[in-house]
Amino acid sequence: MPRTLEPELQRALAERVRYCHEMGIYDFYRRESAFPDETLPPTFQSELREEMSPKKSAAVASIAHSSLAAIAVNPEQGVSDPSAALKMIREDLGDCTRCKLHQQGRKQIVFGVGNPRAELMFVGEGPGADEDAQGEPFVGRAGQLLNNMIKAMGLRREDVYIANIVKCRPPGNRQPERDECETCSPFLMRQIAAIKPKAIVALGATAAKNLLAINAPMTELRGRWYDFKPAAGDPSWPGSRLAVTYHPAFLLRDPRQKGEAWKDLQMVMKYLGIEPPKKPAEEAR
Ligand code: URA
């Protein structure tokens, strides 16, 4: 029968893991030379080995030693080329099985797409059937509308970066659940930290609530700027500004709200210094 860790040790470990998360450290890597396991109390060693995989037990052992030197930060940390950093994050994500979505019919992981040096990033909720099939966010009907919104701003899809709160399709297009968002969002945070966009647009309530950790209706979330900086971000980077607008899928269902969404996008354009493209009639004038 598996034994549990002593409550005091459990508390200390939980505290240390929380501290690491606040510092933007989510993954722990084994460094052989940094784990003098034999210095651990014997009971602790056996309890760890019984309960956890070797990789995890090594990580927790290092935490128990309170030795931050034994913990490697995210592999892309210090990599200044955003394209290289994104590749490293993608590699680290691997064929992810960290949450239950990997067993619920996803075909592939939908990592994100666009310009690694984008000034503007859009974050949606999660892949739908088309995105799951093609491995790219926002390629279905909602994606067509998002493309039109980007074009109306005077930008091209290739200019911006597009990602989602979760990278695997929730079955039947249900909303991603809390544990799924929490498991996936460290990777999104690392993507944001690599790209360092000037502005982020959260598409819909799920994206907004997860990014901002605020539970409020869309009417309250929209129409203002939020300061946003992932914990994993470069200390010399001041962070992004984040705006919230309606999800394109919602706008397809209720096109009367398109005017409101356009107001949100105009706020973003003003901040980024983007002039909307002239209409053909204006150009002719
Ligand atoms: N809806 C989303 O939130 N994301 C996508 O990628 C597609 C549809």
Side-chain angles (χ1 to χ4, degrees):
M1 223 172 66
R3 276 177 291 157
T4 51
L5 295 176
E6 307 226 334
E8 209 173 299
L9 191 50
Q10 252 180 35
R11 262 197 304 279
L13 287 172
E15 188 56 39
R16 178 56 63 148
V17 170
R18 194 161 42 246
Y19 171 73
C20 290
H21 282 182
E22 277 171 12
M23 288 182 61
I25 299 166
Y26 297 97
D27 293 324
F28 305 103
Y29 296 86
R30 183 174 192 152
R31 279 198 201 154
E32 294 298 342
S33 59
F35 296 102
D37 272 8
E38 63 280 5
T39 64
L40 282 174
T43 50
F44 183 35
Q45 287 182 35
S46 59
E47 281 163 356
L48 282 171
R49 291 207 180 94
E50 251 174 48
E51 284 187 20
M52 307 181 90
S53 67
K55 194 171 164 188
K56 277 192 180 157
S57 81
V60 175
S62 78
I63 295 165
H65 280 293
S66 295
S67 164
L68 273 180
I71 298 169
V73 291
N74 296 328
E76 75 281 8
Q77 208 93 11
V79 175
S80 56
D81 173 9
S83 176
L86 287 174
K87 276 200 191 106
M88 292 169 97
I89 300 165
R90 180 65 191 89
E91 259 171 39
D92 198 17
L93 184 62
D95 187 20
C96 186
T97 56
R98 292 169 180 81
C99 87
K100 59 186 180 303
L101 287 179
H102 83 280
Q103 307 165 303
Q104 299 191 349
R106 75 138 194 240
K107 288 200 178 75
Q108 57 187 314
I109 292 169
V110 180
F111 182 66
V113 72
N115 180 355
R117 296 179 187 274
E119 288 202 332
L120 176 59
M121 182 161 173
F122 289 92
V123 178
E125 181 174 308
D130 295 312
E131 292 74 23
D132 184 47
Q134 295 185 41
E136 185 171 324
F138 284 99
V139 290
R141 275 189 72 220
Q144 294 309 312
L145 179 53
L146 179 62
N147 289 348
N148 289 340
M149 290 158 72
I150 293 168
K151 203 166 158 197
M153 295 174 80
L155 297 170
R156 298 166 308 163
R157 184 172 163 100
E158 314 86 84
D159 296 328
V160 305
Y161 194 89
I162 307 172
N164 282 307
I165 295 291
V166 294
K167 301 191 189 309
C168 294
R169 182 189 181 201
N173 293 345
R174 67 156 167 77
Q175 274 191 3
E177 290 170 4
R178 191 178 167 162
D179 59 311
E180 296 157 359
C181 296
E182 282 176 0
T183 305
C184 212
S185 73
F187 290 93
L188 176 62
M189 294 304 134
R190 288 165 61 186
Q191 286 170 285
I192 295 172
I195 297 165
K196 301 192 181 86
K198 278 175 83 173
I200 298 172
V201 175
L203 297 167
T206 302
K209 288 177 189 178
N210 274 283
L211 289 168
L212 297 169
I214 300 175
N215 198 4
M218 276 299 279
T219 45
E220 280 173 34
L221 291 167
R222 291 181 46 246
R224 53 158 292 193
W225 283 111
Y226 302 83
D227 289 324
F228 185 84
K229 185 171 174 187
D234 171 355
S236 66
W237 172 52
S240 306
R241 296 182 97 188
L242 188 147
V244 177
T245 194
Y246 291 115
H247 192 288
F250 169 78
L251 295 174
L252 287 173
R253 291 193 299 274
D254 188 356
R256 288 168 306 172
Q257 301 305 324
K258 282 185 180 176
E260 289 301 299
W262 181 234
K263 282 186 202 158
D264 300 329
L265 298 182
Q266 282 177 310
M267 181 178 90
V268 175
M269 289 158 65
K270 190 169 172 204
Y271 172 59
L272 295 177
I274 302 171
E275 291 280 334
K278 292 199 170 35
K279 296 199 181 99
E282 283 176 56
E283 268 170 1
R285 241 184 269 150

